[in-house]
Amino acid sequence: MNTNSNVYTVVYTTIVVVLVAAILAFVSQKLGPAQQDNAKAETLRQMMAAAKVESTDALYAKGNAEILSLYSNSIDEAFTIDLDGNRTGELATDKENIELMNGLKAANKAIKDGKCDNLPVYRFKGGISVIPVYGAGLWGPIWGYVAFEPDGTNIKGVYFDHESETPGLGAKIKDEPWFREKFSGKSVDFSGKPLFTLGKNAEADGKSNAVDAITGATMTSKGLNAALNVWFEAYSKYLGTAAESTTEEE
Amino acid sequence: MAQKLKDTILNPIFKGNPITVLVLGICSSLAVTVQLKGAIVMALSVIVVTGLSSLVCSLLRNTIPNRVRIIVQLVVVALMVILVDQVLKAGESTYAIDKQLSVYIGLIITNCIVMGRIEAFALGNKPIPSLLDGLANGAGYGMILIIVAFVRELLGSGTLFGFQVIPQALYNAGYVNNGLVILPPFALILLGCIIWIHRSIDKDLQEK
């Protein structure tokens, strides 16, 4: 057969492409559930790392099943709220069907439009509230989890992740434990502007709502600072009420 | 025949090493060699991709229309790379490494070794030698990757596979991890040294 004729070439490439597409679709369907389990366990690890349920290293040494049961055992309740701090729904937390809010990108847009009614709050035992943050880094999205003490203003811990920040520079927001540790014990000033500052020499003023940015990661830090402020603002009503309710309980 | 097969396997690892002699695949060897674990996963991924794409292209070699052969090769390589990436993402223990290697797994597709071996070898040889040639070239690449990663993790972080190997006593005595070693330029310097050593051992590689 003449393998150089136009008809042969068109038919051949069509068959190859359809075949490859079929293989990929099949594999993606077969491996999809396992990949989702991994992604879910990863999210839970990050959340629990922020809430300091266990040390980050210990969490990353655990398998998926262990992570699921650890989460189920240490979470109190999970629910969604709107921008006014009112509850709008519940999220399941039992081991078999842990629900997570994954549409952070959509929520981020909704917050900016001023009409978001599915902001997730994960309340761990001991009154620790973990909230997500999401924003734009230099090369792609950055996101993370911030854990608040029961008073709703002091930060217990954070964990940040990113899609494609520069390794060695912007990627330090995830890679460097000392950067995460800087946030612990800081607080968010819900009455002030800005709520929180991540910037050059921010700590120099001695403010408790400021953290020094990473050298060489200016754009990533700016993005993270914006993300923190947008999401803290969105949760300000809820976290404000949390502070009041704890006072009442006492 | 046996001699020829032996050459097919050993040549890419030593005398015709894709990195130190052909100088292909430099980019990823700078990027993913900060830690041994990542380098080993990357090496295995490349071995699988080069081996399987050479095998498939060799099986198809008499049917591929000459005018679109590069595109067909690209489709085959892309398929293998995506498969490797998907499998790594699905594995419980490989998920974290896949995240760490991020784009570099996907970028195996642009690794010149893969396409280079298909063009130069697989299209003109039977499937079994092509498979071996692909695997051996991947192994030659992986070997250099692992050597570089070993040195970089040891000197840059004081660890191997994430375990501390440089004793605390040494740090107390004033030793510090070398920050330059972590950065890509050092990988290039190290590669240069490996090429230098390789050439001084193997006199055939020296220009007259």
Side-chain angles (χ1 to χ4, degrees):
Chain A
M1 203 196 313
N2 176 15
T3 56
N4 278 326
S5 76
N6 284 344
V7 177
Y8 180 85
T9 306
V10 170
V11 172
Y12 188 90
T13 44
T14 310
I15 292 174
V16 166
V17 168
V18 169
L19 207 64
V20 165
I23 295 173
L24 287 181
F26 176 76
V27 168
S28 149
Q29 206 154 40
K30 281 282 161 212
L31 297 180
Q35 292 172 354
Q36 274 168 13
D37 285 352
N38 284 336
K40 188 191 248 180
E42 174 70 22
T43 308
L44 294 177
R45 276 191 196 101
Q46 297 184 354
M47 237 182 246
M48 289 191 286
K52 299 199 173 163
V53 173
E54 281 186 24
S55 78
T56 311
D57 289 341
L59 289 167
Y60 273 91
K62 281 185 171 28
N64 288 355
E66 279 177 283
I67 286 294
L68 291 190
S69 61
L70 179 66
Y71 173 78
S72 264
N73 291 334
S74 42
I75 190 107
D76 216 6
E77 53 176 346
F79 49 87
T80 55
I81 58 168
D82 62 16
L83 290 171
D84 292 326
N86 302 317
R87 281 204 195 198
T88 54
E90 301 291 320
L91 295 170
T93 57
D94 57 301
K95 205 173 145 194
E96 273 63 44
N97 52 359
I98 290 169
E99 252 183 292
L100 293 171
M101 240 290 289
N102 286 324
L104 292 181
K105 189 178 181 182
N108 191 48
K109 193 175 176 303
I111 291 172
K112 288 186 174 159
D113 294 343
K115 46 180 182 226
C116 185
D117 59 357
N118 61 343
L119 296 166
V121 177
Y122 304 92
R123 273 194 97 127
F124 284 83
K125 297 214 165 106
I128 314 267
S129 300
V130 175
I131 65 161
V133 295
Y134 181 97
L138 174 57
W139 304 112
I142 50 178
W143 62 94
Y145 293 91
V146 179
F148 283 92
E149 302 278 6
D151 65 10
T153 53
N154 284 324
I155 295 174
K156 182 164 174 81
V158 295
Y159 195 94
F160 300 118
D161 199 355
H162 59 91
E163 194 173 276
S164 46
E165 297 308 296
T166 320
L169 298 173
K172 281 185 178 170
I173 59 168
K174 173 182 164 70
D175 297 338
E176 299 290 349
W178 56 257
F179 180 66
R180 295 199 288 271
E181 275 316 305
K182 270 173 175 277
F183 289 82
S184 303
K186 299 282 173 175
S187 63
V188 178
D189 182 5
F190 284 109
S191 54
K193 281 270 173 200
L195 304 182
F196 198 86
T197 316
L198 175 71
K200 186 178 176 184
N201 275 337
E203 283 170 28
D205 300 343
K207 280 189 202 150
S208 69
N209 64 340
V211 164
D212 283 351
I214 295 173
T215 308
T218 312
M219 295 309 287
T220 308
S221 299
K222 273 188 180 162
L224 186 57
N225 184 36
L228 289 172
N229 277 295
V230 166
W231 284 73
F232 287 164
E233 177 75 48
Y235 279 90
S236 57
K237 295 242 170 64
Y238 167 76
L239 290 167
T241 355
E244 283 162 25
S245 67
T246 24
T247 345
E248 280 165 27
E249 277 164 30
E250 281 162 8
Chain B
M1 185 63 197
Q3 182 59 37
K4 211 179 151 200
L5 265 187
K6 202 176 143 199
D7 279 349
T8 307
I9 297 169
L10 290 183
N11 193 42
I13 296 178
F14 301 107
K15 204 158 218 166
N17 189 291
I19 294 186
T20 62
V21 180
L22 307 182
V23 201
L24 298 175
I26 294 294
C27 178
S28 56
S29 58
L30 305 187
V32 298
T33 50
V34 177
Q35 281 165 343
L36 258 179
K37 216 159 134 192
I40 288 177
V41 172
M42 184 69 179
L44 290 176
S45 309
V46 171
I47 291 174
V48 171
V49 171
T50 49
L52 291 183
S53 10
S54 279
L55 175 69
V56 172
C57 285
S58 174
L59 285 169
L60 297 175
R61 70 187 186 283
N62 293 327
T63 64
I64 298 177
N66 200 36
R67 279 180 296 174
V68 293
R69 67 174 197 287
I70 300 282
I71 294 173
V72 174
Q73 290 164 18
L74 207 60
V75 171
V76 172
V77 178
L79 170 72
M80 297 306 166
V81 171
I82 295 172
L83 287 183
V84 165
D85 191 33
Q86 296 277 322
V87 169
L88 285 179
K89 276 204 176 74
E92 205 176 311
S93 49
T94 50
Y95 180 81
I97 303 174
D98 185 78
K99 274 197 83 177
Q100 185 200 328
L101 292 174
S102 62
V103 294
Y104 292 106
I105 291 286
L107 285 178
I108 294 175
I109 190 173
T110 63
N111 195 324
C112 315
I113 300 169
V114 191
M115 290 281 276
R117 289 327 289 172
I118 295 173
E119 272 286 292
F121 196 92
L123 287 186
N125 286 280
K126 292 213 171 72
I128 298 298
S130 297
L131 171 67
L132 293 176
D133 177 77
L135 293 176
N137 271 284
Y141 166 87
M143 187 181 74
I144 303 295
L145 220 62
I146 290 166
I147 294 173
V148 174
F150 179 86
V151 176
R152 287 182 76 186
E153 188 174 349
L154 186 65
L155 298 182
S157 318
T159 58
L160 286 177
F161 294 107
F163 294 108
Q164 194 68 39
V165 286
I166 293 184
Q168 189 60 39
L170 213 56
Y171 288 103
N172 294 344
Y175 174 82
V176 279
N177 289 327
N178 191 337
L180 172 66
V181 178
I182 300 277
L183 300 172
F186 184 80
L188 204 57
I189 295 169
L190 200 59
L191 272 182
C193 294
I194 294 174
I195 294 176
W196 176 22
I197 295 168
H198 191 191
R199 286 188 166 219
S200 37
I201 295 171
D202 197 334
K203 298 275 188 278
D204 291 350
L205 293 173
Q206 295 172 5
E207 286 94 5
K208 290 283 169 317

